[in-house]
DNA sequence: ACACATGGTGACCACCTGGTCACCTTTACC
DNA sequence: GGTAAAGGTGACCAGGTGGTCACCATGTGT
């Protein structure tokens, strides 16, 4: 059946939201393959035919859910890029903004992580490429500003610095979202703010002027 | 049906190896839910009943495959811990050993990454906990040696340092295994050795004595 | 020659999957 | 009231799933 997405757009906003939330949760909990259309419609209390009228297929549903999520991803970054503060302050703000996004959209971030390491998600390349480019552009701009302002060592390699920053921020967020990544050694679990401070201090030693 | 794992152990080694390889590949390619017993036995050219005689269930098969893999994980680490060289040299060796392990066992590492971010793998807590503890113990010992030898700043926090090291090494290996984590900016892709050098230099600035 | 154990087989089962579509209900307009 | 369009429905489908089990093949000991 051809999808008729207009039908979905015509729905009352409350119902649209419920449908998307329930679908997002299902994909987050079970991945793409494991997600069950039957469970979604059961929880929603609507007929299966309706979902297929809206989105045409399972893949169409996923595409709708995740492309909305990608748009949400990009929002908070822009605000920080335009904000004041030195390089390391803005990195700290980025960490906090990322953590806040995860806390506010845990299901979406869970889907993102599953997609990162699962080759058989549909549209994987398109979505990951989009996110990756946005992230790299964002960090590259921060690094350029930091160098221009003399806050970073002048001898650092821009590409490698972006890679290391990306590494550190991404893993910080993975840790925030999936605590089982804990080392299991640290006896005093820290607050998010404490961890942000430790990470930025570490980067300051590694990258900053002295 | 009760599993009869002895039957599997009695098999000629060549057949045992083929079965485990094919099963590992299937789990790596499709995750736990997506893996298909039918595909495995088709590729092996054996009857489905045989597999169930060996392992009793899909979960039993997975348990056998991955517990063998966990044992392999731990091997290379021990060799480095007992090796000579200063702290940062040993960290560099760890990175290379990890990269070599991934190159030699790409399917196993793929399963590990999927399990990290997928809650509905069976036995997830048990396996991840085991790996995590081994890793933390290993890094903790390296840090202790580094402090004792005066190679690390004396004011660093052991727990946080282990976390940061774990962060950096783990992400380095994720990048090695899944190149789509690339920032997409760096125009000159580096060799593994070059990246190891860049990472250890970075850590030296952040953690080392000056 | 017979018995017994061991490994191997594949048709079969109940269940679930994504997807279809002929039909019903509701709303809106004349 | 009549009509047409849009939204909503759920029994049904073909195909795949993990799992079962009665039966077969082979070898070994007596």
């Amino acid at each position: 059946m051809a999808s008729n997405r207009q039908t979905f757009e015509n729905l009352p906003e409350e119902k649209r939201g419920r449908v998307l939330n329930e679908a997002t949760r299902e994909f987050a909990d079970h991945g793409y393959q494991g997600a069950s259309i039957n469970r979604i419609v059961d929880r929603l209390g609507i007929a299966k035919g309706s979902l297929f009228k809206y989105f045409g297929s399972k893949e169409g549903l996923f595409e709708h859910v995740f492309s909305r999520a990608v748009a949400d991803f990009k929002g908070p970054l822009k605000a920080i890029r335009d904000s004041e503060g030195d390089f390391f302050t803005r990195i700290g703000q980025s960490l906090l903004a990322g953590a806040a996004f995860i806390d506010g959209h845990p299901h979406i971030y869970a889907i993102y992580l599953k997609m990162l390491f699962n080759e058989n998600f549909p549209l994987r390349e398109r979505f990951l490429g989009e996110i990756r480019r946005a992230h790299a552009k964002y960090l590259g701009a921060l690094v350029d500003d930091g160098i221009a302002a003399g806050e970073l060592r002048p001898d650092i390699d821009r590409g490698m610095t972006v890679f290391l920053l990306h590494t550190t921020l991404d893993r910080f967020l993975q840790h925030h979202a999936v605590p089982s990544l804990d080392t299991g050694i640290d006896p005093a679990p820290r607050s998010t703010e404490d961890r942000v401070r430790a990470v930025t201090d570490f980067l300051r030693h590694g990258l900053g002027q002295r």
Side-chain angles (χ1 to χ4, degrees), chain A residues 11 47 84 90 121 123 136 140 154 156 176 180-181 186 188:
Chain A
L11 257 39
E84 303 297 317
R90 287 160 101 189
F121 260 89
L123 310 165
I156 60 173
H176 185 81
S180 65
L181 296 173
D186 193 328

Side-chain angles (χ1 to χ4, degrees), chain A residues 32 58-59 62 115 119-125 127:
Chain A
Y32 182 79
K58 187 181 185 179
E59 182 169 328
F62 179 74
M115 188 156 46
E119 299 79 36
N120 41 15
F121 260 89
L123 310 165
R124 178 177 184 268
E125 298 306 319
F127 282 137

Side-chain angles (χ1 to χ4, degrees), chain A residues 6 21-22 32 54 59 80 102 106 111 120 144 175 183 192:
Chain A
Q6 190 56 49
N21 283 345
E22 220 60 60
Y32 182 79
Y54 303 155
E59 182 169 328
I80 295 167
I102 292 172
I111 296 174
N120 41 15
D144 289 341
H175 173 84
T183 60
T192 301

Side-chain angles (χ1 to χ4, degrees), chain A residues 12 34 38 59 77 104 111 152 161:
Chain A
N38 290 328
E59 182 169 328
L77 295 184
I111 296 174
L152 297 180
T161 304

Side-chain angles (χ1 to χ4, degrees), chain A residues 18-89:
Chain A
R18 272 178 52 235
V19 169
L20 290 181
N21 283 345
E22 220 60 60
T24 305
R25 181 150 79 91
E26 180 71 12
F27 284 120
D29 285 349
H30 300 95
Y32 182 79
Q33 310 230 22
S36 160
I37 303 282
N38 290 328
R39 274 198 298 259
I40 295 175
V41 296
D42 281 356
R43 277 205 301 264
L44 285 169
I46 67 174
K48 184 154 46 164
S50 299
L51 251 203
F52 280 92
K53 268 233 170 66
Y54 303 155
F55 302 106
S57 66
K58 187 181 185 179
E59 182 169 328
L61 171 61
F62 179 74
E63 198 264 337
H64 192 94
V65 163
F66 202 73
S67 65
R68 193 192 55 149
V70 170
D72 289 352
F73 255 124
K74 296 181 180 173
L77 295 184
K78 293 218 165 73
I80 295 167
R81 177 158 50 182
D82 300 337
S83 77
E84 303 297 317
D86 76 344
F87 177 79
F88 298 101
T89 305

Side-chain angles (χ1 to χ4, degrees), chain A residues 159-201:
Chain A
M160 182 53 72
T161 304
V162 169
F163 170 73
L164 284 168
L165 283 174
H166 191 230
T167 286
T168 309
L169 304 208
D170 224 40
R171 190 54 162 64
F172 177 89
L173 296 180
Q174 286 179 16
H175 173 84
H176 185 81
V178 186
S180 65
L181 296 173
D182 252 325
T183 60
I185 266 197
D186 193 328
R190 291 135 199 287
S191 71
T192 301
E193 287 73 19
D194 283 347
R195 278 188 286 115
V196 167
R197 201 171 312 117
V199 170
T200 50
D201 282 352

